[in-house]
């Protein structure tokens, strides 16, 4: 909103300094500062409100050190993240940008799925919360919206520049062509750095129906990353910290992909208008860091599904928007390992129970962070080490821009 206000003031009244809102870097900085301020200032008020509503976490005794001490800690703290994310985005971003609109919808949509789950657990005494199949239906619905929007919206495009033409009167002029409704994405470690979804089924599916494959992939990615973040949210500060690292990396990738000079220098896909996602990622990082003020060990509040499902959903959609979804296995390696650890544990337990009559386990306990807790490692150390792994994976993801 502020972008349009200051654009109007700059054009109509030529007010000094109003033009600074045209710069993505300035608006990203403003979004970060404001999100941190909202989370740090109003987070305490939200926590006290949740306490008054008696929205405390019910803890099952799983034999983990210090676990039962957390009983009664307010949950549904994801509202702190949502507020400190959406308010700066609404103020500093271009609200006409298709990617911003898509991400606002994503944040609200996944936040509502998580809220319904938390609400059923806390106020309806339903220990299971929202049934898993209804969560999946909600995630599939969002995947359809995202996949179809990125497949058919005319504002979604990539731009390919040809060799520059030299002109004495105009200087250096570049020719380019826009590819609307692109079915390509970034393929890490490959020389040309691109993968065309139209080649996925070796021509079996007509090109005009490639959007079907792309939408299915979008649904799978959103569901996987959202659930991965949800499972990772098990000990103080883990999900918020890893999400902040991932969002910062995606912000860098969005800036490079939305900048003509950097995209040409790095020989990566240039995506017009995707630079606006830097503002969203900046607010996202600020919201995660601000939430850590209260969620770091020992946590004063838990984010609940309201926050964790939203974090994963937003990360997935940002990656899809900037055509970096194939980097998710690297960048979101912590989420992936947590998700796979649960799948392996449950599958192996069921298999051995059917075969031997007694279920056996691969890990001491799943998800993976609980395995390390069972080994006697303090949760604060586990979180720090997972953050270090997240930073290494983020660096490796950025390194794929040059490692081909």
């Amino acid at each position: 909103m502020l972008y349009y206000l200051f654009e109007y003031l700059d054009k109509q009244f030529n007010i000094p300094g109003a033009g600074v809102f045209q710069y993505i870097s300035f608006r990203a900085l403003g979004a970060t500062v404001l999100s941190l301020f909202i989370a740090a200032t109003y987070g305490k008020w939200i926590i006290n409100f949740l306490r008054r509503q008696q929205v405390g976490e019910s803890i099952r005794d799983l034999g983990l050190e210090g676990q039962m001490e957390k009983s009664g800690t307010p949950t549904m703290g994801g509202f702190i993240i949502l507020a400190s994310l959406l308010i700066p985005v609404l103020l500093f971003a271009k609200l006409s940008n298709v990617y911003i609109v898509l991400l606002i919808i994503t944040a609200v949509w996944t936040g509502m799925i998580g809220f319904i789950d938390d609400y059923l657990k806390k106020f309806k005494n339903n220990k299971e919360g929202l049934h898993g199949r209804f969560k999946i239906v909600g995630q599939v619905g969002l995947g359809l919206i995202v996949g179809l929007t990125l497949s058919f919206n005319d504002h979604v495009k990539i731009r390919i520049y040809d060799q520059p033409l030299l002109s004495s009167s105009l200087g250096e002029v570049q020719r380019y062509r826009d590819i609307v409704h692109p079915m390509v994405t970034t393929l890490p470690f490959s020389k040309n750095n691109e993968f065309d979804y139209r080649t996925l089924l070796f021509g079996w599916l007509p090109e005009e129906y490639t959007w079907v494959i792309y939408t299915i992939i979008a649904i799978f990615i959103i569901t996987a990353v959202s659930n991965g973040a949800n499972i990772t949210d098990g000990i103080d500060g883990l999900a918020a910290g890893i999400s902040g690292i991932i969002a910062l990396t995606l912000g860098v990738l969005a800036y490079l992909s939305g900048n003509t000079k950097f995209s040409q220098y790095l020989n990566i896909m240039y995506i017009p208008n995707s630079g606006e996602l830097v503002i969203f990622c900046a607010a996202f990082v600020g919201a995660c860091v601000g939430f850590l003020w209260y969620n770091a060990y020992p946590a004063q509040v838990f984010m609940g599904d309201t926050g964790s499902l939203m974090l994963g959903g937003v990360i997935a959609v940002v990656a899809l928007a900037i055509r970096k979804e194939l980097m998710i296995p690297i960048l979101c390696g912590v989420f992936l390992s947590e998700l796979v650890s649960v799948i392996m544990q449950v599958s192996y337990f069921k298999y051995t129970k059917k075969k031997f009559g007694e279920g056996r386990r691969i890990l001491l306990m799943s998800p993976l962070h609980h395995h390390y807790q069972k080994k006697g490692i303090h949760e604060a150390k586990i979180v720090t080490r997972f953050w270090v792994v997240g930073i290494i994976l983020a660096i490796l993801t950025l390194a794929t821009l040059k490692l081909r």
Side-chain angles (χ1 to χ4, degrees), residues 285-326:
V285 172
C288 289
V289 174
F291 181 72
L292 280 172
W293 186 264
Y294 301 104
N295 185 240
Y297 181 85
Q300 297 172 254
V301 66
F302 300 139
M303 66 172 69
D305 284 9
T306 305
S308 59
L309 288 174
M310 183 273 293
L311 292 177
V314 166
I315 287 169
V317 175
V318 172
L320 286 162
I322 60 175
R323 308 285 162 172
K324 301 293 185 290
E325 64 269 20
L326 298 186

Side-chain angles (χ1 to χ4, degrees), residues 245-259 262 266 268 274-275 277-278 281-282 285 318 322 324 394 397-398 401:
I245 294 167
I246 294 171
L248 181 60
T249 309
L250 288 173
V252 173
L253 293 172
Y255 182 78
L256 297 175
S257 298
N259 186 285
F262 281 120
L266 294 168
I268 62 176
S274 65
L277 290 173
V278 176
C281 290
V285 172
V318 172
I322 60 175
K324 301 293 185 290
T397 301
L398 293 175
L401 298 174

Side-chain angles (χ1 to χ4, degrees), residues 354-371:
K354 184 177 181 181
K355 187 173 182 178
F356 304 109
E358 180 185 12
R360 301 174 184 175
R361 293 174 172 82
I362 300 172
L363 304 171
L364 295 177
M365 187 176 177
S366 66
L368 189 59
H369 56 262
H370 286 328
H371 169 77

Side-chain angles (χ1 to χ4, degrees), residues 129-368:
L130 185 65
H131 197 282
R133 65 171 176 267
F134 293 116
K135 286 185 183 179
I136 296 296
V137 167
Q139 291 163 339
V140 169
L142 176 62
L144 284 171
I145 294 172
V146 173
L148 294 175
T149 301
L150 295 177
S151 297
F152 293 110
N153 191 287
D154 290 338
H155 295 286
V156 176
K157 63 183 79 170
I158 63 172
R159 182 167 295 172
I160 299 176
Y161 283 92
D162 298 321
Q163 292 296 320
L165 296 174
L166 296 179
S167 171
S168 58
S169 60
L170 297 176
E172 193 178 79
V173 179
Q174 288 186 309
R175 295 178 301 179
Y176 66 84
R177 54 192 174 92
D178 285 343
I179 299 178
V180 185
H181 314 147
M183 288 289 113
V184 294
T185 190
T186 301
L187 182 63
F189 302 115
S190 67
K191 190 172 183 180
N192 63 4
N193 205 227
E194 290 183 11
F195 174 75
D196 194 332
Y197 283 112
R198 291 174 293 184
T199 65
L200 192 60
L201 297 179
F202 307 102
W204 176 78
L205 189 70
E207 289 189 5
E208 59 268 25
Y209 295 110
T210 307
W211 63 269
V212 176
I213 300 296
Y214 181 78
T215 303
I216 292 172
I217 291 171
I219 291 170
F220 174 78
I221 289 171
I222 290 170
T223 303
V225 179
S226 184
N227 287 326
N230 184 228
I231 289 171
T232 303
D233 179 37
I235 51 180
D236 300 350
L238 181 56
I242 293 295
S243 297
I245 294 167
I246 294 171
L248 181 60
T249 309
L250 288 173
V252 173
L253 293 172
Y255 182 78
L256 297 175
S257 298
N259 186 285
T260 309
K261 292 183 179 179
F262 281 120
S263 61
Q264 288 187 77
Y265 172 72
L266 294 168
N267 191 27
I268 62 176
M269 198 182 303
Y270 173 58
I271 308 171
N273 304 316
S274 65
E276 202 67 20
L277 290 173
V278 176
I279 288 108
F280 194 98
C281 290
F284 190 98
V285 172
C288 289
V289 174
F291 181 72
L292 280 172
W293 186 264
Y294 301 104
N295 185 240
Y297 181 85
Q300 297 172 254
V301 66
F302 300 139
M303 66 172 69
D305 284 9
T306 305
S308 59
L309 288 174
M310 183 273 293
L311 292 177
V314 166
I315 287 169
V317 175
V318 172
L320 286 162
I322 60 175
R323 308 285 162 172
K324 301 293 185 290
E325 64 269 20
L326 298 186
M327 292 184 178
I328 283 178
I330 304 172
L331 181 58
C332 300
V334 173
F335 289 168
L336 181 63
S337 63
E338 295 272 34
L339 184 61
V340 170
S341 71
V342 173
I343 295 172
M344 290 175 58
Q345 185 88 324
V346 172
S347 300
Y348 187 71
F349 185 87
K350 289 181 177 179
Y351 168 75
T352 53
K353 187 173 184 180
K354 184 177 181 181
K355 187 173 182 178
F356 304 109
E358 180 185 12
R360 301 174 184 175
R361 293 174 172 82
I362 300 172
L363 304 171
L364 295 177
M365 187 176 177
S366 66
L368 189 59

